[in-house]
């Protein structure tokens, strides 16, 4: 089971799927190391914690595929 599928919150899961489909593992690593993207937080109507959780899940799924 993928990390994204294990997310319970619908908005977090939707954003994580978007991240996985739209960004490479390298992009997600860089995002995870930097500050949260507040434009994405506002657009997706999620918290900073949800953003971090979604990026981490998308990155984990990319790394599991590699």
């Amino acid at each position: 089971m993928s990390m994204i599928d294990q997310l319970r919150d619908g908005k977090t899961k939707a954003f994580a799927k978007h991240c996985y489909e739209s960004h490479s593992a390298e992009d997600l690593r860089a995002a995870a190391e930097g500050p949260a993207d507040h434009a994405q937080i506002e657009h997706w109507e999620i918290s900073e914690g949800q953003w971090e959780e979604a990026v981490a899940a998308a990155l984990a799924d990319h790394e599991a595929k590699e």
Side-chain angles (χ1 to χ4, degrees), residues 9-24:
D9 180 74
K11 287 183 180 182
T12 306
K13 186 182 282 190
F15 179 60
K17 286 181 181 180
H18 165 77
C19 289
Y20 180 82
E21 294 168 357
S22 303
H23 301 284
S24 68

Side-chain angles (χ1 to χ4, degrees), residues 4-62:
I4 293 172
D5 289 338
Q6 294 179 36
L7 296 173
R8 292 181 180 256
D9 180 74
K11 287 183 180 182
T12 306
K13 186 182 282 190
F15 179 60
K17 286 181 181 180
H18 165 77
C19 289
Y20 180 82
E21 294 168 357
S22 303
H23 301 284
S24 68
E26 185 176 302
D27 292 340
L28 293 170
R29 270 187 215 98
E33 291 174 4
D37 184 324
H38 288 278
Q40 289 178 331
I41 288 170
E42 288 181 24
H43 175 78
W44 287 87
E45 297 178 346
I46 56 176
S47 69
E48 190 168 324
Q50 288 170 306
W51 184 91
E52 291 169 354
E53 185 178 16
V55 169
L59 177 56
D61 283 358
H62 265 295

